[in-house]
């Protein structure tokens, strides 16, 4: 969320398969019979055309994509097509031409080698400015009542308390979507922990589980990550796993260390990068902070449509947007 090592690839979001749903943002600056060639909107539309944005299944990604799409549409006159795809399928789209941009990438060294280094159909478009963290967390009430639970060496002591009907008599470690970047099954095995990884199925289900656990003071140990809007509402407490060191996660089956810090980046197709499209230039210059992403994600989670949340942020951050465009 760095060098991501995948024990389970972030590959199967809400719907298995390739493209599930397609949301079309029609370019409001598209050419019409009433626009002259000198009209900036018409010129922008002609130069930009259609941009295919992969949509991966977490709200932070949606926030990035919403702002990028809003600016591409309203400032550059692009037609933006958003395609609901899991992470691995998204990268496959670089070769087929179905995907122009993955707006938030969490490492994926294996995919970068395959599509950037070997096939040469994608390129690194630079950092998003976001710094990602993945780890294990407990509800705040647990850290207060059992302060030593935040050290991994003490987790077996609490395994029986964390057992559920799905964990087979062991403690439950609750993960999210099976497609998310995770080393958790290897960590449980290699740290000799009496736990079983159970997948909630989605970011929303994972968040609701943590929220309910804090409200009802029920035990929970789960996978979580930053940037993440939810942490402002329920400040989960991170478990200290063995410190990450260079190469400690080189072999996915032997991982016994914490997750590294992720410098999140953007990946775009080589064809798109070489096209001269202003949308490709925007993709390269798009850069903001965890706080920016969390602000937009919070609005989306609170009920705003992504495009509305994006407009709110863009209107409040004209200098940043102008810097991207210039």
């Amino acid at each position: 969320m760095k060098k991501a090592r995948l024990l389970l690839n972030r590959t199967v979001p809400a719907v298995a398969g390739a493209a599930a749903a397609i949301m079309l943002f029609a370019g409001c600056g598209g050419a019409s019979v009433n626009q002259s060639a000198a009209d900036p909107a018409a010129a922008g539309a002609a130069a930009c055309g259609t941009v295919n944005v992969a949509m991966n299944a977490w709200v932070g990604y949606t926030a990035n994509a919403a702002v990028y799409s809003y600016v591409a549409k309203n400032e550059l006159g692009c037609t933006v097509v958003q395609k609901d795809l899991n992470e691995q399928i998204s990268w496959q789209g670089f070769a087929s031409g179905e995907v122009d941009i993955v707006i938030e990438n969490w490492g994926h060294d294996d995919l970068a080698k395959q599509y950037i280094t070997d096939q040469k159909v994608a390129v690194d478009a630079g950092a998003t400015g976001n710094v990602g963290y993945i780890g294990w967390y407990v509800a705040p009430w647990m850290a207060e009542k059992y302060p030593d639970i935040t050290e991994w060496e003490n987790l077996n002591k609490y395994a029986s308390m964390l057992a559920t009907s799905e964990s087979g008599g062991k403690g439950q470690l609750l993960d999210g979507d099976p497609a998310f970047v995770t080393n958790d099954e290897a960590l449980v095995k290699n740290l000799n922990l009496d736990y079983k990884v159970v997948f909630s199925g989605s970011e929303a289900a994972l968040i609701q589980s943590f929220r309910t656990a804090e409200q009802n003071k029920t035990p929970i140990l789960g996978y979580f990550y930053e940037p993440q809007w939810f942490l402002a509402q329920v400040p989960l407490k991170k478990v200290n796993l063995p410190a990450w060191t260079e190469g400690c996660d080189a072999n996915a089956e032997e991982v016994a260390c914490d997750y590294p810090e992720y410098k999140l980046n953007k990946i775009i197709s080589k064809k798109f990068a070489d096209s001269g499209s202003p949308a490709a230039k925007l993709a390269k210059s798009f850069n903001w902070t965890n706080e920016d992403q969390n602000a937009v994600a919070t609005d989306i989670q609170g009920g705003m449509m992504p495009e509305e949340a994006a407009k709110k942020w863009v209107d409040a951050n004209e200098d940043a947007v102008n810097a991207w465009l210039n």
Side-chain angles (χ1 to χ4, degrees), residues 137-147 149-150 210-211 213-215 217-218 220 230-231 233-238:
Y137 292 78
V138 295
W141 79 266
M142 295 179 68
E144 182 176 350
K145 185 170 183 178
Y146 311 105
I149 200 172
T150 57
F210 274 115
R211 188 190 299 280
E214 179 63 14
Q215 289 174 344
K217 301 297 183 285
T218 51
I220 188 170
F230 176 66
L231 294 176
Q233 296 185 5
V234 180
L236 305 180
K237 302 301 179 182
K238 192 174 186 295

Side-chain angles (χ1 to χ4, degrees), residues 70-322:
Y70 183 87
V71 175
K73 170 188 168 183
N74 292 282
E75 299 295 335
L76 300 177
C78 310
T79 296
V80 180
V81 179
Q82 296 185 337
K83 301 182 177 182
D84 290 337
L85 301 168
N86 67 51
E87 289 173 85
Q88 195 161 20
I89 296 297
S90 296
W91 286 66
Q92 292 177 18
F94 293 135
S96 67
E98 295 178 47
V99 171
D100 294 315
I101 178 169
V102 168
I103 196 67
E104 182 177 285
N105 172 55
W106 285 72
H108 292 301
D109 290 354
D110 55 341
L111 298 177
K113 181 180 184 303
Q114 181 177 354
Y115 294 100
I116 297 177
T117 305
D118 297 342
Q119 296 186 23
K120 296 180 171 50
V121 294
V123 299
D124 184 337
T128 67
N130 300 123
V131 180
Y133 303 92
I134 297 175
W136 295 357
Y137 292 78
V138 295
W141 79 266
M142 295 179 68
E144 182 176 350
K145 185 170 183 178
Y146 311 105
D148 65 339
I149 200 172
T150 57
E151 299 298 328
W152 75 269
E153 299 95 329
N154 300 318
L155 287 177
N156 279 344
K157 177 174 148 184
Y158 298 100
S160 60
M161 181 178 73
L162 287 157
T164 70
S165 59
E166 298 178 76
S167 62
K170 298 184 176 184
Q172 175 177 278
L173 173 59
L174 188 65
D175 270 39
D177 189 321
F180 288 175
V181 172
T182 176
N183 296 325
D184 287 357
E185 290 185 332
L187 281 166
V188 166
K189 175 184 175 183
N190 297 325
L191 294 178
N192 297 312
L193 296 175
D194 190 25
Y195 283 78
K196 178 182 177 181
V197 175
V198 175
F199 292 95
S200 65
S202 68
E203 178 184 71
L206 188 61
I207 286 172
Q208 187 56 48
S209 295
F210 274 115
R211 188 190 299 280
T212 300
E214 179 63 14
Q215 289 174 344
N216 298 339
K217 301 297 183 285
T218 51
I220 188 170
L221 170 68
Y223 169 105
F224 214 63
Y225 42 89
E226 302 176 48
Q228 173 56 244
W229 63 272
F230 176 66
L231 294 176
Q233 296 185 5
V234 180
L236 305 180
K237 302 301 179 182
K238 192 174 186 295
V239 173
N240 296 313
L241 295 170
W244 181 88
T245 57
E246 186 71 36
C248 72
D249 53 357
N251 186 324
E253 295 183 358
E254 298 178 2
V255 176
C257 59
D258 206 346
Y259 293 86
E261 178 181 279
Y262 293 77
K263 302 293 186 182
L264 307 189
N265 65 329
K266 302 149 293 185
I267 309 296
I268 63 177
S269 75
K270 180 69 163 57
K271 181 179 179 181
F272 184 52
D274 295 342
S275 69
S277 167
K281 295 176 182 177
L282 174 63
K284 294 174 184 177
S285 62
F286 177 88
N287 188 280
W288 65 351
T289 67
N290 285 14
E291 290 74 20
D292 292 325
Q293 185 190 103
N294 285 338
V296 177
T298 298
D299 284 338
I300 294 171
Q301 188 62 28
M304 274 192 187
M305 294 298 293
E307 192 168 12
E308 293 176 329
K311 181 181 187 303
K312 176 183 174 182
W313 188 90
V314 167
D315 289 346
N317 292 274
E318 291 183 1
D319 289 345
V321 174
N322 287 335

Side-chain angles (χ1 to χ4, degrees), residues 18-85:
I22 297 177
M23 180 163 49
L24 180 64
F25 283 75
C28 66
S32 74
V33 294
N34 295 319
Q35 290 177 313
S36 69
D39 182 39
C48 185
T50 298
V51 183
N52 298 300
V53 180
M55 298 297 293
N56 295 164
W58 60 95
V59 177
Y61 188 107
T62 301
N64 284 39
V67 171
Y68 170 83
S69 299
Y70 183 87
V71 175
K73 170 188 168 183
N74 292 282
E75 299 295 335
L76 300 177
C78 310
T79 296
V80 180
V81 179
Q82 296 185 337
K83 301 182 177 182
D84 290 337
L85 301 168

